[in-house]
Amino acid sequence: MTAEPAQKDLSKTAYDHLWMHFTRMSSYENSPVPTIVKGEGTYVWDDKGRKYLDGLAGLFVVQAGHGREELAEAAAKQAKELAFFPVWSYAHPKAVELAERLANYAPGDLNKVFFSTGGGEAVETAWKLAKQYFKLTGKPTKYKVISRAVAYHGTPQGALSITGLPGLKAPFEPLVPGTHKAPNTNIYRAPSFLAGPDGTVDPEAYGRWCADEIEVAILNEGPETVAAVFVEPVQNAGGCFPPPPGYFQRLREICDRHDVLLVSDEVICAFGRLGTMFGADKFGYQPDMITCAKGMTSGYSPIGATIISDRLAEPFYKGDNTFLHGYTFGGHPVSSAVALANLDIFEREGLNQHVLDNESKFLATLNKLRDLPIVGDVRGNGYFYGIELVKDKVTKESFNDDEVERVLYGFLSKALFDNGLYCRADDRGDPVVQLAPPLISDQSTFDEIEQILRTSLTDAWAKI
């Protein structure tokens, strides 16, 4: 007889059958798999009844917090009425309503919405659309993409090619050709030649240099071959790199000068993570496309979207031109209904304004950790911060591979979780701890995060 699920050892079953994403599966051969069974507000609970502060909003996703019954009810209501129908040559009301709403939120003339089921698919959509757009407008040699070092843009073959993390790409090469990298905006690791006589780097000058390096990449490849630049408002991988002042304005000028599309990858930064519906709003620039996903439904149902300017859509709306691309579950009725209900919560509860009102308090609380010898930098924006860990605060010396394995993975990740904080300790780039709690978080949340980090980082330093 097959055991009932409640009687099974979920950890053993998970190891035997659930291939977890981005996971070193051998770690769980003789250790229990953490199994989360419940969420409420800013907290989650495991199958042993232990409570954890969700310091990463699941995966930069659960904007409105866990346990929102109205989102579950919106899903159930829609499933009873129309559980599924594709948007392949057909429409259904919730997809239409959501597309209109996203277009109204988006800056400028970004009025066309192409749905997918996640962020990587949205990025894939944007690159394919850019290539076909230039073919339809008589510039078929424009197909390449410029993105930034250490940036993560997704796991599909195209999105992974745009990603700037060699370690994530190596197992799957050869990938899609035509992607090239430029420096990111990590001013903490700015090249020494940009520093003034006092050793500091001027943020505006640094921003100009970073943007100009993208132009150098465009010129090196030949503007006639470059279709798009993909950038995040605040770069995730490497630990939350915000843009220097004037960076995006200069980048917009460069893209216009060379007829290159500017794609704002907002899979993380959209829907309140920075205190605005879109990160482009926070930093005052106009992209040609926005890719988004995660927070659109607060994670209660999967959905993604690429929001496209009228100018780019125009040739596809003529004659027999067709964008031969799509996803079975893109614009899913249930996901669309949940997204609309989630956006209702945003407006009713003023979640964006809540983030704007509290982001400086969050940063100030995290900055208290700068007194620890292991903390080199604290950076980010909105409710999205990274804490870079160093071996020497003066020289900014980072950890070697053995120390990363022993301290970051072997100790810190588990210690944070054991101490009651779910977040990310990562070394994609330099070692960082990333924090992105639900948007409902307040000072009590920030204080709890700081206290757990202080204990865990102090213990980690003792093991170096």
mmCIF file of all heavy atoms in Angstrom, residues 417-462:
data_model
loop_
_atom_site.group_PDB
_atom_site.id
_atom_site.type_symbol
_atom_site.label_atom_id
_atom_site.label_comp_id
_atom_site.label_asym_id
_atom_site.label_seq_id
_atom_site.Cartn_x
_atom_site.Cartn_y
_atom_site.Cartn_z
ATOM 1 N N PHE A 417 19.786 30.440 7.848
ATOM 2 C CA PHE A 417 18.508 29.730 7.878
ATOM 3 C C PHE A 417 18.227 29.180 9.275
ATOM 4 O O PHE A 417 17.115 29.323 9.803
ATOM 5 C CB PHE A 417 18.525 28.606 6.840
ATOM 6 C CG PHE A 417 17.176 28.028 6.542
ATOM 7 C CD1 PHE A 417 16.186 28.787 5.943
ATOM 8 C CD2 PHE A 417 16.885 26.712 6.868
ATOM 9 C CE1 PHE A 417 14.931 28.250 5.662
ATOM 10 C CE2 PHE A 417 15.639 26.157 6.588
ATOM 11 C CZ PHE A 417 14.670 26.941 5.990
ATOM 12 N N ASP A 418 19.240 28.586 9.885
ATOM 13 C CA ASP A 418 19.058 28.041 11.234
ATOM 14 C C ASP A 418 18.717 29.145 12.240
ATOM 15 O O ASP A 418 18.008 28.900 13.222
ATOM 16 C CB ASP A 418 20.324 27.313 11.688
ATOM 17 C CG ASP A 418 20.521 25.985 10.978
ATOM 18 O OD1 ASP A 418 19.561 25.496 10.348
ATOM 19 O OD2 ASP A 418 21.637 25.449 11.043
ATOM 20 N N ASN A 419 19.207 30.348 11.996
ATOM 21 C CA ASN A 419 18.929 31.476 12.893
ATOM 22 C C ASN A 419 17.611 32.166 12.580
ATOM 23 O O ASN A 419 17.255 33.154 13.220
ATOM 24 C CB ASN A 419 20.072 32.488 12.838
ATOM 25 C CG ASN A 419 21.334 31.978 13.519
ATOM 26 O OD1 ASN A 419 21.266 31.150 14.420
ATOM 27 N ND2 ASN A 419 22.489 32.454 13.083
ATOM 28 N N GLY A 420 16.895 31.653 11.567
ATOM 29 C CA GLY A 420 15.549 32.147 11.312
ATOM 30 C C GLY A 420 15.396 33.125 10.173
ATOM 31 O O GLY A 420 14.366 33.794 10.075
ATOM 32 N N LEU A 421 16.399 33.198 9.276
ATOM 33 C CA LEU A 421 16.319 34.128 8.138
ATOM 34 C C LEU A 421 16.541 33.380 6.841
ATOM 35 O O LEU A 421 17.586 32.758 6.632
ATOM 36 C CB LEU A 421 17.356 35.240 8.279
ATOM 37 C CG LEU A 421 17.436 36.242 7.118
ATOM 38 C CD1 LEU A 421 16.126 37.015 6.970
ATOM 39 C CD2 LEU A 421 18.604 37.203 7.317
ATOM 40 N N TYR A 422 15.545 33.438 5.970
ATOM 41 C CA TYR A 422 15.701 32.925 4.608
ATOM 42 C C TYR A 422 16.137 34.089 3.721
ATOM 43 O O TYR A 422 15.428 35.096 3.595
ATOM 44 C CB TYR A 422 14.383 32.327 4.101
ATOM 45 C CG TYR A 422 14.349 32.108 2.609
ATOM 46 C CD1 TYR A 422 15.101 31.097 2.018
ATOM 47 C CD2 TYR A 422 13.587 32.934 1.786
ATOM 48 C CE1 TYR A 422 15.082 30.895 0.648
ATOM 49 C CE2 TYR A 422 13.557 32.738 0.413
ATOM 50 C CZ TYR A 422 14.317 31.721 -0.154
ATOM 51 O OH TYR A 422 14.302 31.535 -1.510
ATOM 52 N N CYS A 423 17.335 33.981 3.155
ATOM 53 C CA CYS A 423 17.824 34.992 2.212
ATOM 54 C C CYS A 423 18.809 34.291 1.290
ATOM 55 O O CYS A 423 18.824 33.059 1.209
ATOM 56 C CB CYS A 423 18.441 36.189 2.942
ATOM 57 S SG CYS A 423 19.879 35.783 3.952
ATOM 58 N N ARG A 424 19.637 35.045 0.585
ATOM 59 C CA ARG A 424 20.571 34.426 -0.351
ATOM 60 C C ARG A 424 21.992 34.814 -0.003
ATOM 61 O O ARG A 424 22.332 35.997 0.032
ATOM 62 C CB ARG A 424 20.249 34.848 -1.786
ATOM 63 C CG ARG A 424 21.321 34.445 -2.786
ATOM 64 C CD ARG A 424 21.001 34.938 -4.191
ATOM 65 N NE ARG A 424 20.110 34.027 -4.886
ATOM 66 C CZ ARG A 424 19.648 34.253 -6.115
ATOM 67 N NH1 ARG A 424 19.941 35.373 -6.746
ATOM 68 N NH2 ARG A 424 18.846 33.378 -6.686
ATOM 69 N N ALA A 425 22.837 33.816 0.229
ATOM 70 C CA ALA A 425 24.278 34.022 0.330
ATOM 71 C C ALA A 425 24.887 33.422 -0.930
ATOM 72 O O ALA A 425 24.772 32.220 -1.165
ATOM 73 C CB ALA A 425 24.823 33.347 1.577
ATOM 74 N N ASP A 426 25.541 34.253 -1.732
ATOM 75 C CA ASP A 426 25.886 33.853 -3.091
ATOM 76 C C ASP A 426 27.251 34.398 -3.469
ATOM 77 O O ASP A 426 27.708 35.406 -2.918
ATOM 78 C CB ASP A 426 24.819 34.374 -4.064
ATOM 79 C CG ASP A 426 24.816 33.636 -5.390
ATOM 80 O OD1 ASP A 426 25.593 32.669 -5.543
ATOM 81 O OD2 ASP A 426 24.041 34.023 -6.267
ATOM 82 N N ASP A 427 27.896 33.765 -4.445
ATOM 83 C CA ASP A 427 29.182 34.270 -4.922
ATOM 84 C C ASP A 427 29.196 34.422 -6.439
ATOM 85 O O ASP A 427 30.213 34.259 -7.087
ATOM 86 C CB ASP A 427 30.330 33.363 -4.477
ATOM 87 C CG ASP A 427 30.341 32.019 -5.202
ATOM 88 O OD1 ASP A 427 29.258 31.556 -5.613
ATOM 89 O OD2 ASP A 427 31.426 31.439 -5.349
ATOM 90 N N ARG A 428 28.040 34.738 -7.014
ATOM 91 C CA ARG A 428 28.014 35.054 -8.445
ATOM 92 C C ARG A 428 28.575 36.469 -8.581
ATOM 93 O O ARG A 428 27.857 37.454 -8.453
ATOM 94 C CB ARG A 428 26.597 34.957 -8.993
ATOM 95 C CG ARG A 428 26.076 33.519 -8.989
ATOM 96 C CD ARG A 428 24.728 33.396 -9.658
ATOM 97 N NE ARG A 428 23.693 34.095 -8.907
ATOM 98 C CZ ARG A 428 22.434 34.203 -9.316
ATOM 99 N NH1 ARG A 428 22.064 33.682 -10.472
ATOM 100 N NH2 ARG A 428 21.557 34.837 -8.578
ATOM 101 N N GLY A 429 29.849 36.556 -8.855
ATOM 102 C CA GLY A 429 30.584 37.793 -8.704
ATOM 103 C C GLY A 429 31.357 37.657 -7.411
ATOM 104 O O GLY A 429 32.005 36.638 -7.152
ATOM 105 N N ASP A 430 31.318 38.647 -6.554
ATOM 106 C CA ASP A 430 31.958 38.561 -5.244
ATOM 107 C C ASP A 430 30.946 38.073 -4.212
ATOM 108 O O ASP A 430 29.741 38.198 -4.412
ATOM 109 C CB ASP A 430 32.513 39.936 -4.857
ATOM 110 C CG ASP A 430 33.632 40.372 -5.795
ATOM 111 O OD1 ASP A 430 34.680 39.702 -5.801
ATOM 112 O OD2 ASP A 430 33.449 41.372 -6.525
ATOM 113 N N PRO A 431 31.416 37.516 -3.081
ATOM 114 C CA PRO A 431 30.485 36.982 -2.080
ATOM 115 C C PRO A 431 29.553 38.057 -1.522
ATOM 116 O O PRO A 431 30.006 39.104 -1.065
ATOM 117 C CB PRO A 431 31.421 36.445 -0.990
ATOM 118 C CG PRO A 431 32.710 36.187 -1.686
ATOM 119 C CD PRO A 431 32.815 37.254 -2.729
ATOM 120 N N VAL A 432 28.270 37.795 -1.567
ATOM 121 C CA VAL A 432 27.281 38.755 -1.081
ATOM 122 C C VAL A 432 26.151 38.023 -0.367
ATOM 123 O O VAL A 432 25.911 36.841 -0.596
ATOM 124 C CB VAL A 432 26.661 39.602 -2.219
ATOM 125 C CG1 VAL A 432 27.699 40.501 -2.869
ATOM 126 C CG2 VAL A 432 25.982 38.721 -3.248
ATOM 127 N N VAL A 433 25.473 38.755 0.505
ATOM 128 C CA VAL A 433 24.194 38.336 1.056
ATOM 129 C C VAL A 433 23.147 39.272 0.474
ATOM 130 O O VAL A 433 23.303 40.497 0.546
ATOM 131 C CB VAL A 433 24.183 38.413 2.595
ATOM 132 C CG1 VAL A 433 22.787 38.100 3.129
ATOM 133 C CG2 VAL A 433 25.206 37.452 3.190
ATOM 134 N N GLN A 434 22.103 38.709 -0.141
ATOM 135 C CA GLN A 434 21.071 39.525 -0.772
ATOM 136 C C GLN A 434 19.782 39.485 0.031
ATOM 137 O O GLN A 434 19.392 38.444 0.569
ATOM 138 C CB GLN A 434 20.802 39.052 -2.192
ATOM 139 C CG GLN A 434 21.856 39.531 -3.187
ATOM 140 C CD GLN A 434 21.468 39.185 -4.603
ATOM 141 O OE1 GLN A 434 21.441 38.019 -4.972
ATOM 142 N NE2 GLN A 434 21.182 40.183 -5.399
ATOM 143 N N LEU A 435 19.125 40.649 0.062
ATOM 144 C CA LEU A 435 17.899 40.813 0.838
ATOM 145 C C LEU A 435 16.842 41.511 0.000
ATOM 146 O O LEU A 435 17.111 42.541 -0.623
ATOM 147 C CB LEU A 435 18.188 41.627 2.096
ATOM 148 C CG LEU A 435 19.207 40.973 3.037
ATOM 149 C CD1 LEU A 435 19.892 42.008 3.883
ATOM 150 C CD2 LEU A 435 18.526 39.922 3.897
ATOM 151 N N ALA A 436 15.649 40.940 -0.022
ATOM 152 C CA ALA A 436 14.528 41.525 -0.763
ATOM 153 C C ALA A 436 13.234 41.024 -0.119
ATOM 154 O O ALA A 436 12.543 40.172 -0.671
ATOM 155 C CB ALA A 436 14.586 41.133 -2.237
ATOM 156 N N PRO A 437 12.894 41.523 1.057
ATOM 157 C CA PRO A 437 11.715 41.016 1.780
ATOM 158 C C PRO A 437 10.416 41.452 1.108
ATOM 159 O O PRO A 437 10.415 42.331 0.230
ATOM 160 C CB PRO A 437 11.864 41.647 3.154
ATOM 161 C CG PRO A 437 12.593 42.930 2.904
ATOM 162 C CD PRO A 437 13.548 42.624 1.787
ATOM 163 N N PRO A 438 9.288 40.875 1.495
ATOM 164 C CA PRO A 438 7.996 41.341 0.974
ATOM 165 C C PRO A 438 7.832 42.849 1.182
ATOM 166 O O PRO A 438 8.369 43.423 2.142
ATOM 167 C CB PRO A 438 6.988 40.540 1.795
ATOM 168 C CG PRO A 438 7.715 39.280 2.149
ATOM 169 C CD PRO A 438 9.133 39.709 2.391
ATOM 170 N N LEU A 439 7.075 43.471 0.303
ATOM 171 C CA LEU A 439 6.936 44.928 0.318
ATOM 172 C C LEU A 439 6.117 45.432 1.501
ATOM 173 O O LEU A 439 6.077 46.640 1.746
ATOM 174 C CB LEU A 439 6.306 45.414 -0.982
ATOM 175 C CG LEU A 439 6.993 44.957 -2.276
ATOM 176 C CD1 LEU A 439 6.366 45.649 -3.475
ATOM 177 C CD2 LEU A 439 8.490 45.169 -2.244
ATOM 178 N N ILE A 440 5.483 44.542 2.222
ATOM 179 C CA ILE A 440 4.730 44.929 3.420
ATOM 180 C C ILE A 440 5.640 45.080 4.635
ATOM 181 O O ILE A 440 5.188 45.474 5.707
ATOM 182 C CB ILE A 440 3.618 43.903 3.725
ATOM 183 C CG1 ILE A 440 4.215 42.509 3.943
ATOM 184 C CG2 ILE A 440 2.583 43.882 2.599
ATOM 185 C CD1 ILE A 440 3.211 41.467 4.394
ATOM 186 N N SER A 441 6.929 44.781 4.482
ATOM 187 C CA SER A 441 7.863 44.817 5.602
ATOM 188 C C SER A 441 7.995 46.228 6.166
ATOM 189 O O SER A 441 7.898 47.219 5.437
ATOM 190 C CB SER A 441 9.238 44.313 5.159
ATOM 191 O OG SER A 441 9.166 42.982 4.692
ATOM 192 N N ASP A 442 8.265 46.295 7.484
ATOM 193 C CA ASP A 442 8.435 47.583 8.153
ATOM 194 C C ASP A 442 9.676 47.537 9.034
ATOM 195 O O ASP A 442 10.495 46.612 8.928
ATOM 196 C CB ASP A 442 7.186 47.951 8.965
ATOM 197 C CG ASP A 442 6.812 46.876 9.985
ATOM 198 O OD1 ASP A 442 7.667 46.032 10.334
ATOM 199 O OD2 ASP A 442 5.649 46.875 10.440
ATOM 200 N N GLN A 443 9.829 48.520 9.915
ATOM 201 C CA GLN A 443 11.038 48.625 10.715
ATOM 202 C C GLN A 443 11.280 47.390 11.567
ATOM 203 O O GLN A 443 12.431 46.984 11.774
ATOM 204 C CB GLN A 443 10.983 49.871 11.608
ATOM 205 C CG GLN A 443 12.280 50.166 12.353
ATOM 206 C CD GLN A 443 13.450 50.418 11.423
ATOM 207 O OE1 GLN A 443 13.356 51.233 10.504
ATOM 208 N NE2 GLN A 443 14.554 49.724 11.629
ATOM 209 N N SER A 444 10.229 46.780 12.052
ATOM 210 C CA SER A 444 10.421 45.568 12.856
ATOM 211 C C SER A 444 11.061 44.464 12.023
ATOM 212 O O SER A 444 11.895 43.689 12.525
ATOM 213 C CB SER A 444 9.087 45.096 13.442
ATOM 214 O OG SER A 444 8.184 44.709 12.415
ATOM 215 N N THR A 445 10.681 44.372 10.745
ATOM 216 C CA THR A 445 11.295 43.404 9.837
ATOM 217 C C THR A 445 12.765 43.726 9.641
ATOM 218 O O THR A 445 13.629 42.838 9.697
ATOM 219 C CB THR A 445 10.586 43.418 8.470
ATOM 220 O OG1 THR A 445 9.172 43.350 8.652
ATOM 221 C CG2 THR A 445 11.052 42.265 7.608
ATOM 222 N N PHE A 446 13.067 45.001 9.394
ATOM 223 C CA PHE A 446 14.460 45.402 9.166
ATOM 224 C C PHE A 446 15.322 45.077 10.385
ATOM 225 O O PHE A 446 16.455 44.602 10.244
ATOM 226 C CB PHE A 446 14.543 46.894 8.856
ATOM 227 C CG PHE A 446 13.598 47.397 7.806
ATOM 228 C CD1 PHE A 446 13.139 48.712 7.834
ATOM 229 C CD2 PHE A 446 13.150 46.570 6.778
ATOM 230 C CE1 PHE A 446 12.265 49.187 6.873
ATOM 231 C CE2 PHE A 446 12.277 47.035 5.804
ATOM 232 C CZ PHE A 446 11.824 48.349 5.865
ATOM 233 N N ASP A 447 14.792 45.361 11.563
ATOM 234 C CA ASP A 447 15.549 45.112 12.787
ATOM 235 C C ASP A 447 15.828 43.625 12.970
ATOM 236 O O ASP A 447 16.934 43.223 13.366
ATOM 237 C CB ASP A 447 14.787 45.644 14.007
ATOM 238 C CG ASP A 447 14.750 47.165 14.065
ATOM 239 O OD1 ASP A 447 15.617 47.809 13.439
ATOM 240 O OD2 ASP A 447 13.842 47.703 14.737
ATOM 241 N N GLU A 448 14.827 42.799 12.675
ATOM 242 C CA GLU A 448 15.017 41.357 12.816
ATOM 243 C C GLU A 448 16.061 40.849 11.833
ATOM 244 O O GLU A 448 16.921 40.020 12.180
ATOM 245 C CB GLU A 448 13.682 40.628 12.610
ATOM 246 C CG GLU A 448 13.755 39.140 12.890
ATOM 247 C CD GLU A 448 12.405 38.457 12.836
ATOM 248 O OE1 GLU A 448 11.377 39.152 12.678
ATOM 249 O OE2 GLU A 448 12.375 37.212 12.953
ATOM 250 N N ILE A 449 16.017 41.362 10.604
ATOM 251 C CA ILE A 449 17.014 40.986 9.604
ATOM 252 C C ILE A 449 18.413 41.366 10.086
ATOM 253 O O ILE A 449 19.354 40.566 10.029
ATOM 254 C CB ILE A 449 16.708 41.664 8.254
ATOM 255 C CG1 ILE A 449 15.474 41.021 7.599
ATOM 256 C CG2 ILE A 449 17.912 41.579 7.313
ATOM 257 C CD1 ILE A 449 14.990 41.742 6.355
ATOM 258 N N GLU A 450 18.560 42.589 10.573
ATOM 259 C CA GLU A 450 19.873 43.077 11.012
ATOM 260 C C GLU A 450 20.411 42.244 12.163
ATOM 261 O O GLU A 450 21.605 41.892 12.200
ATOM 262 C CB GLU A 450 19.763 44.554 11.413
ATOM 263 C CG GLU A 450 21.110 45.236 11.659
ATOM 264 C CD GLU A 450 21.586 45.128 13.102
ATOM 265 O OE1 GLU A 450 20.740 44.879 14.002
ATOM 266 O OE2 GLU A 450 22.808 45.279 13.341
ATOM 267 N N GLN A 451 19.556 41.895 13.098
ATOM 268 C CA GLN A 451 20.009 41.137 14.266
ATOM 269 C C GLN A 451 20.480 39.736 13.881
ATOM 270 O O GLN A 451 21.512 39.257 14.361
ATOM 271 C CB GLN A 451 18.884 41.068 15.299
ATOM 272 C CG GLN A 451 18.594 42.409 15.971
ATOM 273 C CD GLN A 451 17.226 42.462 16.636
ATOM 274 O OE1 GLN A 451 16.574 41.452 16.835
ATOM 275 N NE2 GLN A 451 16.784 43.668 16.986
ATOM 276 N N ILE A 452 19.728 39.077 12.995
ATOM 277 C CA ILE A 452 20.123 37.732 12.570
ATOM 278 C C ILE A 452 21.401 37.793 11.741
ATOM 279 O O ILE A 452 22.307 36.958 11.896
ATOM 280 C CB ILE A 452 18.985 37.053 11.788
ATOM 281 C CG1 ILE A 452 17.777 36.828 12.705
ATOM 282 C CG2 ILE A 452 19.449 35.724 11.186
ATOM 283 C CD1 ILE A 452 16.541 36.302 11.994
ATOM 284 N N LEU A 453 21.495 38.784 10.856
ATOM 285 C CA LEU A 453 22.716 38.942 10.070
ATOM 286 C C LEU A 453 23.918 39.201 10.969
ATOM 287 O O LEU A 453 25.007 38.644 10.756
ATOM 288 C CB LEU A 453 22.557 40.086 9.076
ATOM 289 C CG LEU A 453 21.718 39.801 7.833
ATOM 290 C CD1 LEU A 453 21.462 41.086 7.064
ATOM 291 C CD2 LEU A 453 22.422 38.790 6.931
ATOM 292 N N ARG A 454 23.739 40.047 11.957
ATOM 293 C CA ARG A 454 24.864 40.384 12.848
ATOM 294 C C ARG A 454 25.396 39.125 13.536
ATOM 295 O O ARG A 454 26.611 38.891 13.577
ATOM 296 C CB ARG A 454 24.421 41.420 13.883
ATOM 297 C CG ARG A 454 25.520 41.845 14.856
ATOM 298 C CD ARG A 454 25.095 43.049 15.672
ATOM 299 N NE ARG A 454 24.939 44.237 14.834
ATOM 300 C CZ ARG A 454 25.950 45.015 14.446
ATOM 301 N NH1 ARG A 454 27.192 44.730 14.823
ATOM 302 N NH2 ARG A 454 25.709 46.077 13.701
ATOM 303 N N THR A 455 24.505 38.326 14.062
ATOM 304 C CA THR A 455 24.932 37.086 14.718
ATOM 305 C C THR A 455 25.620 36.148 13.738
ATOM 306 O O THR A 455 26.710 35.610 14.008
ATOM 307 C CB THR A 455 23.706 36.386 15.347
ATOM 308 O OG1 THR A 455 23.135 37.240 16.333
ATOM 309 C CG2 THR A 455 24.108 35.066 15.965
ATOM 310 N N SER A 456 25.008 35.938 12.588
ATOM 311 C CA SER A 456 25.507 34.966 11.620
ATOM 312 C C SER A 456 26.829 35.416 11.006
ATOM 313 O O SER A 456 27.752 34.612 10.823
ATOM 314 C CB SER A 456 24.468 34.730 10.522
ATOM 315 O OG SER A 456 23.238 34.295 11.075
ATOM 316 N N LEU A 457 26.948 36.697 10.678
ATOM 317 C CA LEU A 457 28.181 37.218 10.068
ATOM 318 C C LEU A 457 29.327 37.245 11.070
ATOM 319 O O LEU A 457 30.484 37.009 10.706
ATOM 320 C CB LEU A 457 27.940 38.604 9.491
ATOM 321 C CG LEU A 457 27.000 38.672 8.286
ATOM 322 C CD1 LEU A 457 26.731 40.121 7.896
ATOM 323 C CD2 LEU A 457 27.577 37.898 7.094
ATOM 324 N N THR A 458 29.017 37.525 12.308
ATOM 325 C CA THR A 458 30.045 37.475 13.353
ATOM 326 C C THR A 458 30.602 36.068 13.490
ATOM 327 O O THR A 458 31.823 35.853 13.595
ATOM 328 C CB THR A 458 29.480 37.969 14.696
ATOM 329 O OG1 THR A 458 29.042 39.320 14.559
ATOM 330 C CG2 THR A 458 30.533 37.891 15.791
ATOM 331 N N ASP A 459 29.719 35.080 13.482
ATOM 332 C CA ASP A 459 30.143 33.688 13.572
ATOM 333 C C ASP A 459 30.927 33.269 12.328
ATOM 334 O O ASP A 459 31.898 32.503 12.416
ATOM 335 C CB ASP A 459 28.933 32.767 13.763
ATOM 336 C CG ASP A 459 28.264 32.957 15.116
ATOM 337 O OD1 ASP A 459 28.890 33.554 16.008
ATOM 338 O OD2 ASP A 459 27.103 32.504 15.264
ATOM 339 N N ALA A 460 30.496 33.772 11.151
ATOM 340 C CA ALA A 460 31.203 33.443 9.924
ATOM 341 C C ALA A 460 32.628 33.985 9.932
ATOM 342 O O ALA A 460 33.573 33.331 9.498
ATOM 343 C CB ALA A 460 30.435 33.986 8.723
ATOM 344 N N TRP A 461 32.796 35.206 10.438
ATOM 345 C CA TRP A 461 34.122 35.830 10.503
ATOM 346 C C TRP A 461 35.061 35.006 11.382
ATOM 347 O O TRP A 461 36.255 34.853 11.068
ATOM 348 C CB TRP A 461 34.004 37.259 11.022
ATOM 349 C CG TRP A 461 35.325 37.958 11.161
ATOM 350 C CD1 TRP A 461 35.987 38.251 12.313
ATOM 351 C CD2 TRP A 461 36.122 38.479 10.095
ATOM 352 N NE1 TRP A 461 37.159 38.913 12.032
ATOM 353 C CE2 TRP A 461 37.270 39.072 10.675
ATOM 354 C CE3 TRP A 461 35.989 38.494 8.715
ATOM 355 C CZ2 TRP A 461 38.272 39.673 9.919
ATOM 356 C CZ3 TRP A 461 36.985 39.081 7.944
ATOM 357 C CH2 TRP A 461 38.105 39.669 8.542
ATOM 358 N N ALA A 462 34.538 34.425 12.423
ATOM 359 C CA ALA A 462 35.350 33.633 13.339
ATOM 360 C C ALA A 462 35.858 32.352 12.678
ATOM 361 O O ALA A 462 36.812 31.736 13.173
ATOM 362 C CB ALA A 462 34.550 33.292 14.588
#
